[in-house]
Amino acid sequence: MSNVSRRGFISFAALMCGVAPSQFAMAIEQKVFTNGGYAINGYDPVAYLKEGKPVRGNPAIQTEWNGAVWLFSTEENKAAFLSAPEANAPQYGGYCAYAVSRNYTAKTDPEAFTVHKGKLYLNYSPAVASEWKSELEQNIVSGDANWPALAAK
């Protein structure tokens, strides 16, 4: 399906469901950053939220969600993710949050992250994470506005 026909379908389906097309597109599919075949470089997304640090996932503890393979360090973290994947997955599909706030996508470094109001944001590098944090609230507003179009590309 071409991007034009896909967008038309999403808009039509969204109208039928009574939601904004961008919200419906996010519900159908979301672009996820993968590296080495795994979402967010193979790190456990729940560990960032529970432990406040990056923890490598175990390939024996995995699930597929949103078109990507996600790894976890424990079965408990996997269960937490599966109970609420949208709440436990990183924002913007695990792409660099600063880049998304500037209306483009970039890969991420698992060590460059921010947990803010229970949400995980990843960045390209520690230096970029520092820039991201310098205007955090405005960057989140911009990222949230830019992400639906970027995710649809």
Side-chain angles (χ1 to χ4, degrees):
M1 180 180 288
S2 74
N3 280 344
V4 173
S5 60
R6 188 175 91 179
R7 284 190 194 115
F9 168 76
I10 289 171
S11 294
F12 172 75
L15 290 172
M16 296 304 291
C17 294
V19 297
S22 62
Q23 293 172 327
F24 191 82
M26 293 287 286
I28 290 177
E29 73 178 88
Q30 183 183 79
K31 186 191 300 191
V32 175
F33 172 67
T34 59
N35 191 10
Y38 301 116
I40 64 170
N41 295 293
Y43 279 73
D44 180 340
V46 177
Y48 285 98
L49 301 171
K50 285 175 51 178
E51 300 176 39
K53 65 180 183 179
V55 176
R56 277 205 172 276
N58 178 344
I61 308 171
Q62 64 176 262
T63 193
E64 188 172 327
W65 177 74
N66 219 8
V69 176
W70 299 79
L71 300 184
F72 304 92
S73 55
T74 67
E75 289 290 344
E76 293 79 17
N77 284 3
K78 178 182 174 183
F81 183 86
L82 290 172
S83 72
E86 291 85 5
N88 287 291
Q91 300 302 291
Y92 317 130
Y95 284 89
C96 175
Y98 182 80
V100 171
S101 76
R102 299 304 186 262
N103 207 25
Y104 66 96
T105 60
K107 66 181 183 174
T108 52
D109 174 349
E111 300 289 329
F113 72 97
T114 303
V115 174
H116 180 70
K117 295 183 179 178
K119 295 181 179 181
L120 172 61
Y121 299 89
L122 297 167
N123 288 110
Y124 177 80
S125 68
V128 171
S130 179
E131 183 68 23
W132 160 256
K133 292 175 191 176
S134 72
E135 295 183 22
L136 184 63
E137 294 296 335
Q138 180 54 46
N139 286 333
I140 291 171
V141 168
S142 296
D144 289 351
N146 294 338
W147 181 241
L150 290 171
K153 288 184 180 177

